Amino acid sequence: MFSATTTSRLALAATLANTAPGLRGGRQLPDRLDGAAGLPSALPSVLPDWGFEEDPSNATLRTVRKLRANVAGIWQDAAAEDADAALEGLNALLGAAGPVRAVLPEGSTVRSPAILAAGHEEDAPEKTLSTALALALAEVALAGELTRLRTCTGEDCSNAFVDLTRNRSKQFCDEANCANRAHVKAYRARRAAEAASADQAEKASTSEKTEKSEKSEKAEKPDKATKKNGKAKKSAKKNAKK
């Protein structure tokens, strides 16, 4: 579907978006980029592979936070199927990346598929990261696959994830065990509904038996008025004989 490089960069983009404060897997989590020192632990796949220093500066943190907000916005618009808004955000990232060019991968031949590239080797790590994520998201948009950028449908979870299933059926993120939590909740709801239905059926059956029993007792025991009429008739017959 997408190249291995693009797939890994999309996963990184989702990871970056999910460091923001919010509901994650049923819990309210704080900002995981709450300080420059927290950047390496929040994005371990970024350091040092992308050239970040082991002790990032506050300026670097501010830039990464801004990138996170842009990526999260694109993701949310794509998940909401608002392609125009998603492309507007993507174009802003591409504009910051500089001129985009098509190049052949190193060691490829003239028949190899070209890839998109931007930026320069001397760019700061945060700009290199921004450019890489912008190009990965651009590839998704060019393929008409923006709806694969989704947000978790689990209860109290807003995690971003990439749906790479063939039929676009993935609904839950993998970070917070949301699928299992949803299945357990649905199972418990079914059991509760079955128990309520059985209880209602038992009450209906008991009520029906009670009603039948009362009718049977009434049929076997004449009421007082019937008894009085019977006595009156017997008394009338006796008087007639006298």
Side-chain angles (χ1 to χ4, degrees), residues 29-219:
L29 295 184
D31 191 343
R32 281 176 274 178
L33 296 183
D34 60 346
L39 184 56
S41 59
L43 297 174
S45 61
V46 172
L47 299 172
D49 294 345
W50 289 80
F52 282 89
E53 297 178 357
E54 292 185 2
D55 186 18
S57 66
N58 288 328
T60 296
L61 176 64
R62 287 193 295 270
T63 302
V64 174
R65 278 181 172 174
K66 183 177 180 181
L67 172 61
R68 178 180 67 182
N70 292 335
V71 169
I74 295 170
W75 215 283
Q76 291 168 3
D77 290 333
E81 299 187 7
D82 188 345
D84 289 336
L87 290 177
E88 183 178 353
L90 174 57
N91 285 332
L93 275 185
L94 289 172
V100 177
R101 57 191 182 280
V103 299
L104 289 175
E106 186 176 352
S108 61
T109 67
V110 70
R111 295 180 62 84
S112 300
I115 60 173
L116 296 178
H120 306 280
E121 292 183 1
E122 63 272 16
D123 286 341
E126 52 268 34
K127 183 176 181 182
T128 301
L129 175 62
S130 177
T131 298
L133 299 188
L135 294 179
L137 292 169
E139 184 175 333
V140 174
L142 291 172
E145 300 285 3
L146 281 173
T147 54
R148 291 190 179 276
L149 307 181
R150 309 191 65 180
T151 54
C152 185
T153 58
E155 184 177 9
D156 297 334
C157 186
S158 58
N159 275 339
F161 68 89
V162 187
D163 182 3
L164 297 177
T165 60
R166 180 173 296 181
N167 59 352
R168 297 177 175 82
S169 60
K170 189 174 177 64
Q171 298 181 20
F172 305 100
C173 69
D174 298 321
E175 181 181 338
N177 201 28
C178 289
N180 185 60
R181 291 192 304 114
H183 294 156
V184 169
K185 182 179 179 180
Y187 171 75
R188 290 176 177 172
R190 288 195 301 270
R191 290 296 300 271
E194 290 171 359
S197 179
D199 184 56
Q200 187 176 2
E202 183 178 354
K203 288 181 179 178
S205 176
T206 301
S207 177
E208 185 179 356
K209 288 179 180 179
T210 301
E211 186 177 350
K212 286 183 178 180
S213 177
E214 291 175 350
K215 287 182 179 179
S216 177
E217 289 178 0
K218 287 182 180 180

